[in-house]
Amino acid sequence: MSATANIEPQLPGDLVVGTATASWQVEGDVAGRGRSIWDDFAEVPGAIVDGTTGEPACDHLRRFDEDLALLADLGFDAYRFSVSWPRVQPTGRGEFRHEGLDVYDRMVDRLLQRGIAPIVTLYHWDLPSELPGWGSHETAERFAAYAGAVAERLGDRVSRWATLNEPWVAAYLGHASGIHAPGARDPGLAISSAYHLMLAHGLGMRALRAAGARDPGIVLNLIPVYAEDTASAAAARHIDGLHNRFFLDLLAGRGIPQDVREATGGFCDWGFVRDADLAAIAEPLDWLGENYYSVMRVARAESPGPGLEAYPGCPSAAFAPREPTTAMGWEVYPAGLVDALQMAATALPGVPLWVTENGAAYEDDVIAGAVRDSERVDYFRQHIWSLLQARESGIDVRGYLAWSLLDNIEWAEGFTKRFGIVRVDPETLDRAPKESALWWKARLADRLSP
Ligand code: IFM
């Protein structure tokens, strides 16, 4: 346990602090939008452990004012939400639905009325079902048209835009291990999807700028990868290549890392790469978001360990998280946040960084109506200390967004894993701020002056 484990950090006055959610995980109101690949995936028996579907989720759209009042009462500066592409363009092609755009227009206005800065993510995994998928160049072009249309409508009021959330997850959990939508298990398609997601990002950046949007950028989930022994160094490098360097090198204008090309040549011919795409992907960023939860420790193993299928072509190895772990089985390692931010700062010098997600799933105790989540409080406290350390070491971190405002649909884990600082009752959907929400309220009230 670190020396600062029980000492409360004081938030710097110039750090923007908020919370984050994502459309499919919280919105509900499925009737008000087209279908996404997550609606299709949720219908596959066993794909989501508890059979959860996108309705009602947290019923966030209908209860937005109540949720916003909570955000404001806790004292947060910013709220990061995602736009559901099929809500504003049901098939991903053709006409935009004004009623869909109106939903987000109202959300932005209400946030601003409360003095909370809206941060918009354009793609948090709910791809319109009718599109051909991320293996296709067309999907990237359609994304840019969609990004431009949303920015035309909201660009005068949104303070910050993320094109994509965690393209590694969308590409590899969706197309290599198949535990996320669309549930494919095709290593070549996973790599082509990662590439076209990044192309969508680059074309989206241009569309956002053309529409006058302020501060466009992207959100990655960079993860420090540590080899446990020399025998696992090659596997660790492979994992680092697919998870981190592929994205950072593309964004920095260095193209595809040569070792990644070579290690995947057996199942991917890379014939989809075009010079013009690479230039678009390297469009300068106004900021980069890092979603940090944990690290990866890679140990030698005779046969591939669970989860390794998400890194096609990886030499045999196993993940070896150390205790303590969260309910997701993810190691709690606050120092890794500094390593992740340093990785981004080194690859993309001069680009301001934000921690766009950070948080933990735990079983909460409900005692006489109060929700005790002291492990989550400890997690936040320790990670804020790490963030302060990163800033002290000169890394330009401008914002921090806790994941998540609400207990929501944790993708394939359904409602079985809770990340919220506000509890959502499984039966009534009633909201109850947890101990961690009150901890944030105290930290925000006690922040240093700018
Ligand atoms: O719930 C997800 C979120 O949608 C993306 N980042 C990680 C979170 C926890 O798994």
Side-chain angles (χ1 to χ4, degrees):
M1 191 178 282
S2 79
T4 52
N6 295 314
I7 302 172
E8 296 303 1
Q10 247 191 323
L11 298 172
D14 63 349
L15 183 77
V16 179
V17 182
T19 68
T21 61
S23 45
W24 200 82
Q25 295 180 273
V26 295
E27 281 187 349
D29 187 25
V30 167
R33 61 167 173 77
R35 280 181 78 82
S36 82
I37 56 173
W38 270 94
D39 300 312
D40 303 335
F41 191 63
E43 284 178 2
V44 176
I48 296 194
V49 292
D50 58 357
T52 294
T53 66
E55 191 72 271
C58 300
D59 202 22
H60 183 55
L61 290 191
R62 275 182 284 256
R63 297 174 189 235
F64 186 70
D65 285 326
E66 184 188 345
D67 293 341
L68 179 54
L70 272 170
L71 261 178
D73 177 62
L74 296 172
F76 286 108
D77 309 317
Y79 180 54
R80 172 179 173 234
F81 62 93
S82 76
V83 172
S84 157
W85 184 350
R87 194 175 295 286
V88 305
Q89 193 184 31
T91 63
R93 299 182 174 102
E95 291 295 298
F96 289 90
R97 258 182 91 241
H98 292 289
E99 305 90 312
L101 285 163
D102 289 347
V103 166
Y104 300 106
D105 200 278
R106 277 194 299 274
M107 219 182 241
V108 166
D109 280 346
R110 289 183 198 169
L111 284 162
L112 291 174
Q113 280 158 13
R114 297 270 197 169
I116 297 171
I119 300 178
V120 170
T121 308
L122 285 162
Y123 185 69
H124 201 125
W125 311 345
D126 40 0
L127 185 71
S129 297
E130 289 187 36
L131 288 178
W134 287 113
S136 151
H137 205 277
E138 183 198 339
T139 303
E141 287 166 12
R142 299 279 174 201
F143 174 80
Y146 150 70
V150 179
E152 287 289 345
R153 183 68 181 270
L154 309 180
D156 56 336
R157 285 155 293 149
V158 166
S159 48
R160 186 167 299 278
W161 298 80
T163 52
L164 310 180
N165 181 73
E166 300 181 8
W168 178 83
V169 173
Y172 290 92
L173 299 191
H175 304 84
S177 61
I179 60 171
H180 275 198
R185 296 202 173 134
D186 175 343
L189 178 61
I191 292 191
S192 149
S193 297
Y195 175 82
H196 290 108
L197 276 153
M198 290 309 283
L199 176 59
H201 156 74
L203 299 176
M205 288 287 288
R206 288 181 174 169
L208 286 169
R209 289 212 164 101
R214 277 192 300 274
D215 282 332
I218 186 171
V219 169
L220 302 179
N221 64 327
L222 301 171
I223 191 156
V225 184
Y226 309 128
E228 289 288 82
D229 44 61
T230 47
S232 32
R237 178 146 179 88
H238 184 89
I239 291 167
D240 178 53
L242 289 182
H243 201 122
N244 301 319
R245 288 181 291 112
F246 174 86
F247 298 97
L248 291 172
D249 281 12
L250 279 170
L251 291 170
R254 288 191 289 270
I256 316 277
Q258 191 55 31
D259 65 305
V260 169
R261 275 190 193 249
E262 284 164 11
T264 55
F267 49 85
C268 175
D269 68 6
W270 294 92
F272 43 78
V273 177
R274 302 181 197 168
D275 286 347
D277 296 349
L278 297 179
I281 298 172
E283 184 74 21
L285 294 169
D286 283 355
W287 66 291
L288 179 98
E290 157 64 2
N291 291 351
Y292 179 80
Y293 292 89
S294 189
V295 293
M296 259 174 199
R297 298 189 194 274
V298 182
R300 62 182 301 184
E302 293 304 321
S303 52
L308 205 66
E309 57 286 359
Y311 297 96
C314 189
S316 188
F319 295 115
R322 296 180 187 168
E323 292 298 327
T325 54
T326 68
M328 297 294 282
W330 298 348
E331 174 176 341
V332 179
Y333 189 64
L337 175 59
V338 183
D339 292 350
L341 292 168
Q342 186 60 63
M343 187 191 324
T346 306
L348 296 162
V351 176
L353 303 179
W354 282 57
V355 176
T356 33
E357 288 180 24
N358 176 236
Y362 288 109
E363 301 294 332
D364 302 326
D365 290 328
V366 187
I367 303 165
V371 190
R372 298 292 310 276
D373 62 341
S374 49
E375 289 169 300
R376 187 173 290 107
V377 171
D378 288 344
Y379 183 98
F380 283 132
R381 182 188 295 117
Q382 292 174 43
H383 285 77
I384 289 295
W385 276 117
S386 285
L387 179 141
L388 298 180
Q389 191 188 325
R391 279 169 57 112
E392 258 167 45
S393 74
I395 301 175
D396 182 10
V397 193
R398 309 246 179 119
Y400 174 94
L401 310 175
W403 184 269
S404 177
L405 175 65
L406 304 170
D407 287 338
N408 56 49
I409 308 176
E410 178 49 25
W411 305 109
E413 304 293 336
F415 276 113
T416 64
K417 299 286 186 284
R418 299 172 167 273
F419 277 89
I421 61 169
V422 172
R423 181 177 168 84
V424 177
D425 184 279
E427 305 299 325
T428 62
L429 303 182
D430 286 349
R431 278 50 169 159
K434 303 181 188 179
E435 186 185 342
S436 55
L438 304 177
W439 180 85
W440 276 112
K441 185 172 181 173
R443 302 285 69 71
L444 287 158
D446 183 39
R447 73 211 308 194
L448 297 163
S449 18

